[in-house]
Amino acid sequence: MKFSCEQQALSKALNIVSKAVTSRTTIPILKGILLKVSEDGKLTMSASDLDLSIEKTLKVENYQPGEIVVYAKLFGDIIRKLPNAMVTMELIDEEVKINCANSEFHIIGLPADEFPTINMPEDTSDLILFDKDILKDMIRKTSFAASIDEARGVITGVLVEMQEKSLNMIALDGFRMAISREEMLNKERESIVIPAKILGEISKIIGEADTEANDQVSLYINEKRAIFIIEDIKIVLRLLEGEFVKYRDIIPKNNEIRVVVNRSDFLNSIERASLLAKVGKNNLIKLSITDNSMEITSKSEEGNVREEVMISKEGNDLIIGFNSKYLMDVLKVIEEEEIVMLFHTSISPCLVQPMDGNQFEYLILPVRITNN
């Protein structure tokens, strides 16, 4: 194996592929990256932790076909610290020689036949196409609400629901729920659950990939796996098994109190009020909702704070408590200037919706507040 490639191109490809490398494994080969040069002068870099596999292909020069696995951390550290110049790599026996400008490294490789195979579909007729910006935005608006407790199983993932005329993403953790919807025509109705962590990595890869030539991301679903194709990057991931929560049953139907508030004013006030909200007290802030204002208060041993934002309201007055972090997480991913908040009682969930349409919906459970 032999090839030459610009240091920047190699470093950028490494940043993408390295997202699938795990340090928490006793299998040495999974700590490595497979370098494979094809007969037509393409270098494919691959990494896998068995749940997530990433492949990135790039054109190289002065090539000879061959393959080897190199330890990801050492190889990555070397490539990133090389000068911005042409890098030449050559496999001599089981040793990889790396030349760049005045630098020369020799590192030990591992046999490529021990590396896990990343099987790609031969038939891509069932590919589902997404606009990359819409997909990235939907991930941003939902994945934060998935559970981070690995013991919670399927709700550590995001439900991707493909209906006849819409694409929905849903995440929840038992205290809040995030729903994002986009109009989209789908050939088939399909529902899969993707680990939220992996969706986060996919979002980063979309941001790092050179997708100017193609604004679309392809998805192929095959039994227990899903494959995302972004230009010359392939991401193979294991889907979460189990039945997702029937999220539509959770959405409250009786919301007699309707509040319209400026999102950025509300967010800024909560951020200030949360400075005195203690983690041990569920980051508690209290909302006192009256005819045209919402008072936001919080207190701790160090002091107390009072904020006020103007609102328009329909329905009764209400005093309700929330974990300030959960409210801020929602308000930070919404871009609309004004939002609608729907309430029922002080112990019922709050719904956050857009002024028009149903593009998003957030449910937040309240925190019980005492009178003192």
Side-chain angles (χ1 to χ4, degrees):
M1 181 199 77
K2 182 180 178 181
F3 68 86
S4 297
C5 179
E6 288 289 343
Q7 182 269 346
Q8 283 192 336
L10 207 53
S11 182
K12 192 171 182 179
L14 262 172
N15 288 340
I16 291 171
V17 171
S18 296
K19 297 182 194 314
V21 178
T22 178
S23 56
R24 296 179 300 172
T25 180
T26 55
I27 307 170
I29 202 77
L30 296 183
K31 295 179 182 178
I33 290 176
L34 172 66
L35 307 176
K36 182 175 183 178
V37 179
S38 64
E39 297 280 353
D40 58 352
K42 288 182 180 177
L43 167 66
T44 300
M45 303 173 70
S46 308
S48 177
D49 67 1
L50 300 182
D51 288 329
L52 171 67
S53 304
I54 302 175
E55 263 189 17
K56 161 77 174 168
T57 304
L58 58 160
K59 288 286 289 180
V60 292
E61 302 172 14
N62 306 318
Y63 60 89
Q64 292 175 4
E67 56 186 348
I68 192 71
V69 175
V70 290
Y71 281 108
K73 188 178 185 312
L74 176 60
F75 183 64
D77 288 344
I78 291 170
I79 297 301
R80 292 183 189 102
K81 292 186 183 298
L82 288 175
N84 181 11
M86 188 67 77
V87 178
T88 298
M89 294 183 58
E90 185 176 5
L91 178 61
I92 302 168
D93 296 325
E94 293 300 311
E95 192 174 85
V96 180
K97 178 183 173 185
I98 305 169
N99 281 99
C100 180
N102 299 320
S103 299
E104 181 175 311
F105 288 86
H106 293 259
I107 60 174
I108 301 299
L110 297 170
D113 55 9
E114 294 180 13
F115 197 81
T117 332
I118 300 177
N119 295 318
M120 302 306 297
E122 293 181 10
D123 178 17
T124 56
S125 58
D126 291 334
L127 282 178
I128 302 159
L129 300 179
F130 301 95
D131 178 282
K132 68 178 180 65
D133 291 329
I134 289 176
L135 179 62
K136 190 177 176 184
D137 192 52
M138 292 183 77
I139 293 171
R140 181 179 66 87
K141 288 180 175 177
T142 54
S143 59
F144 70 89
S147 176
I148 57 172
D149 181 358
E150 296 296 331
R152 302 293 299 278
V154 74
I155 66 169
T156 60
V158 176
L159 174 65
V160 180
E161 193 177 60
M162 286 155 274
Q163 297 189 312
E164 187 180 351
K165 294 182 180 179
S166 71
L167 169 69
N168 307 326
M169 283 194 186
I170 303 94
L172 51 85
D173 65 0
F175 301 100
R176 58 199 172 160
M177 178 168 68
I179 303 172
S180 180
R181 304 181 181 96
E182 284 289 339
E183 290 184 4
M184 177 176 165
L185 292 175
N186 296 299
K187 293 179 185 176
E188 297 180 17
R189 292 173 66 112
E190 187 98 42
S191 291
I192 57 173
V193 183
I194 299 176
K197 282 184 182 177
I198 293 179
L199 266 185
E201 297 299 342
I202 290 170
S203 179
K204 290 177 191 173
I205 291 170
I206 292 171
E208 294 171 17
D210 298 318
T211 54
E212 288 84 357
N214 187 353
D215 287 337
Q216 290 188 315
V217 174
S218 304
L219 170 63
Y220 179 85
I221 303 165
N222 180 13
E223 295 178 359
K224 297 180 181 179
R225 295 189 179 272
I227 301 167
F228 284 88
I229 303 171
I230 308 163
E231 285 288 299
D232 50 14
I233 303 163
K234 297 181 178 69
I235 304 161
V236 185
L237 57 97
R238 193 192 303 273
L239 298 172
L240 287 175
E241 297 183 51
E243 187 177 354
F244 200 79
V245 178
K246 290 182 170 58
Y247 72 93
R248 290 183 180 85
D249 297 343
I250 299 172
I251 300 171
K253 306 297 187 288
N254 301 316
N255 301 294
E256 293 89 354
I257 304 167
R258 182 180 187 270
V259 171
V260 176
V261 63
N262 180 283
R263 182 196 62 85
S264 58
D265 289 349
F266 189 33
L267 174 59
N268 292 335
S269 291
I270 292 174
E271 285 181 329
R272 289 189 291 268
S274 69
L275 296 174
L276 286 168
K278 288 291 188 182
V279 174
K281 302 278 187 181
N282 296 317
N283 299 297
L284 177 64
I285 59 169
K286 184 166 70 174
L287 309 183
S288 300
I289 302 165
T290 55
D291 284 338
N292 58 3
S293 74
M294 183 190 300
E295 184 184 76
I296 304 163
T297 56
S298 181
K299 62 181 180 180
S300 68
E301 292 83 358
E302 289 85 4
N304 60 77
V305 57
R306 176 187 174 277
E307 291 275 338
E308 186 175 5
V309 291
M310 303 308 293
I311 62 169
S312 64
K313 177 178 75 72
E314 297 172 12
N316 298 327
D317 293 350
L318 181 69
I319 296 175
I320 189 168
F322 286 104
N323 182 321
S324 58
K325 181 184 182 303
Y326 292 166
L327 276 174
M328 288 189 291
D329 284 347
V330 167
L331 296 172
K332 284 176 181 176
V333 298
I334 297 173
E335 292 159 359
E336 278 74 358
E337 187 176 340
E338 288 189 316
I339 56 169
V340 176
M341 301 181 71
L342 301 173
F343 303 92
H344 180 49
T345 69
S346 62
I347 57 172
S348 304
C350 163
L351 273 181
V352 179
Q353 298 175 338
M355 289 288 288
D356 301 301
N358 69 339
Q359 198 169 25
F360 62 79
E361 197 162 25
Y362 294 96
L363 180 147
I364 309 163
L365 291 183
V367 176
R368 287 184 180 269
I369 50 178
T370 54
N371 293 324
N372 54 5

